[in-house]
Amino acid sequence: MTENIDIVLVHLGVIPKYLYSNIEYLCKTFANKNIKLVTDNEKIKNIKYSNFEYINYSEIDENIELNLSKLKHSRNFRNGFWFKTIERFFYLEEYLSKHNRSIIYLESDVLLFPNFPFSKFQLVKKEIAYPLVSQARGIASCMYIKNSVGINNFCNFIKSSVIIDNSNTDMTLLGNYQIKYPERVYILPTYIESDSFFEGIFDGASIGIYLEGTDPLNYFGISKLKRIYNDHDFKPDKYRYHSEKGLINLIDSKRCIPIYNLHVHSKRKKVFKTNKKRVQIIFFKKKYRNKRFKIYPKIFFSVCLNFVRKKISSYVSSINVN
């Protein structure tokens, strides 16, 4: 039964180094699974694993582009970040129109642990499943799609929603979808009290940010450690964590609760080179126990350089206009 669920990633634009590390980790750890990368980028390194397949879709439908063009987000922010996070669902729709089967979709910076409950997902009757960070916002860090019907319905919802509200993001769309269609969506548990079926929890974002730090791109090369977001329902600082045999467990009172995935916002490549003894997460390293941030010098200089370039480009453009 479990062999029927493929692991699919979607990445639009330049393929980052951490994604290559994640693909290698997935291919090794889940050798009996098919690992797929769907992308619009034709320039990809050769990945020599028999269970890996690279799938290129050069562009999405013009009508979809027209719909998304109504969004008010800036296309200059990280090469169209806000648009790509929504466009990826249409790439998933294209993929499932050709390969109509159950999949686990992962965001590129999500670590899937060896104890991931694939067999449990085969018993989920709803069309789609994903975690929430709050009652109004979902997140596709780890997403189960039963078949093409599930993603088709969600993509149709996206197309109508962005016309009604041009401030929508992928997270608000996921949040609104599960509110409007609860019969279609299974909410993956982010804390054990919310679900006993999976006997463990899924990380939307809160645990990964707390244990590994924020994305250093957001703070000029500085990753904030043990960060708590007030607008996230789950508060990871209320619990203890234990790492053993390549897994992480949350300790709640006397219970040891498995965590099935980790959203690695820091994008550190070493995290995806987890060994069988212990995961390489900053939270578990002695030298970082009392620290609140980690500096990434290369990212700091890269962000500063891009900032200066934009300022110069803006200045030159203003001179030319005058």
Side-chain angles (χ1 to χ4, degrees):
M1 289 284 286
T2 59
E3 287 75 17
N4 292 330
I5 299 183
D6 293 341
I7 300 173
V8 179
L9 303 101
V10 177
H11 201 95
L12 307 179
V14 178
I15 308 297
K17 292 179 180 179
Y18 66 83
L19 177 51
Y20 286 115
S21 297
N22 195 6
I23 290 171
E24 183 175 352
Y25 165 80
L26 289 168
C27 289
K28 287 180 178 179
T29 306
F30 303 99
N32 65 330
K33 296 288 179 190
N34 294 317
I35 316 298
K36 316 279 187 178
L37 172 62
V38 177
T39 180
D40 61 348
N41 192 333
E42 295 182 356
K43 296 179 180 179
I44 183 171
K45 293 180 182 178
N46 185 28
I47 300 174
K48 298 179 180 179
Y49 288 92
S50 59
N51 60 331
F52 173 76
E53 184 180 3
Y54 147 75
I55 299 168
N56 178 264
Y57 299 135
S58 57
E59 58 185 20
I60 59 175
D61 187 273
E62 289 182 2
N63 292 327
I64 296 170
E65 285 279 12
L66 184 62
N67 268 76
L68 297 185
S69 68
K70 302 180 188 303
L71 291 168
K72 70 175 184 180
H73 308 299
S74 170
R75 283 197 176 271
N76 293 326
F77 179 73
R78 294 192 192 169
N79 299 313
F81 172 83
W82 294 114
F83 294 87
K84 288 175 182 176
T85 56
I86 297 176
E87 285 174 4
R88 59 179 166 159
F89 297 115
F90 294 99
Y91 280 80
L92 279 172
E93 183 181 38
E94 180 69 17
Y95 172 80
L96 283 170
S97 71
K98 296 178 171 60
H99 311 273
N100 190 14
R101 59 191 302 167
S102 298
I103 68 166
I104 294 293
Y105 162 69
L106 290 184
E107 291 189 342
S108 302
D109 57 353
V110 170
L111 177 69
L112 210 63
F113 291 118
N115 60 346
F116 193 81
F118 287 99
S119 59
K120 292 271 189 181
F121 280 98
Q122 294 287 48
L123 302 175
V124 173
K125 299 187 183 302
K126 296 189 179 184
E127 298 176 357
I128 198 168
Y130 50 83
L132 303 177
V133 297
S134 68
Q135 291 302 307
R137 292 187 302 151
I139 189 164
S141 56
C142 173
M143 188 177 192
Y144 169 71
I145 305 172
K146 183 176 283 292
N147 52 40
S148 61
V149 173
I151 194 64
N152 288 346
N153 284 338
F154 181 54
C155 285
N156 287 334
F157 174 78
I158 292 174
K159 285 184 277 190
S160 60
S161 295
V162 296
I163 294 173
I164 297 169
D165 182 356
N166 65 1
S167 67
N168 264 305
T169 66
D170 60 321
M171 295 180 75
T172 60
L173 288 164
L174 288 163
N176 292 335
Y177 189 66
Q178 57 90 23
I179 292 171
K180 187 170 183 179
Y181 300 105
E183 73 280 4
R184 297 179 183 176
V185 182
Y186 188 103
I187 303 303
L188 296 180
T190 51
Y191 49 95
I192 195 64
E193 291 83 0
S194 63
D195 188 297
S196 59
F197 173 70
F198 278 101
E199 301 177 306
I201 59 177
F202 300 83
D203 179 33
S206 308
I207 299 175
I209 290 172
Y210 181 74
L211 298 184
E212 177 55 28
T214 58
D215 185 347
L217 279 174
N218 293 341
Y219 304 100
F220 281 84
I222 296 173
S223 178
K224 298 184 179 183
L225 309 178
K226 302 179 182 69
R227 181 73 185 271
I228 308 297
Y229 283 91
N230 292 329
D231 58 350
H232 287 200
D233 287 346
F234 181 76
K235 305 302 179 187
D237 60 327
K238 304 298 182 185
Y239 304 92
R240 293 182 294 115
Y241 299 88
H242 177 66
S243 170
E244 186 177 18
K245 297 181 180 179
L247 305 174
I248 297 179
N249 295 310
L250 178 150
I251 311 299
D252 176 21
S253 184
K254 294 181 179 180
R255 294 179 299 173
C256 189
I257 302 164
I259 299 173
Y260 295 128
N261 72 290
L262 199 70
H263 201 156
V264 186
H265 268 250
S266 71
K267 314 290 191 293
R268 267 198 325 130
K269 289 194 300 177
K270 284 186 178 180
V271 176
F272 302 103
K273 295 182 179 179
T274 297
N275 57 44
K276 294 181 179 180
K277 294 181 180 179
R278 190 167 183 164
V279 290
Q280 300 186 51
I281 301 296
I282 283 178
F283 180 86
F284 298 107
K285 295 182 180 296
K286 289 183 180 179
K287 66 178 180 178
Y288 288 108
R289 281 182 184 169
N290 298 318
K291 292 187 178 181
R292 286 292 172 180
F293 63 88
K294 174 177 169 55
I295 299 174
Y296 293 80
K298 288 184 179 179
I299 295 177
F300 170 77
F301 288 113
S302 176
V303 172
C304 288
L305 183 60
N306 287 334
F307 179 78
V308 172
R309 282 174 177 168
K310 286 181 181 179
K311 286 294 183 182
I312 293 173
S313 177
S314 178
Y315 177 71
V316 172
S317 296
S318 65
I319 292 176
N320 291 336
V321 170
N322 296 330

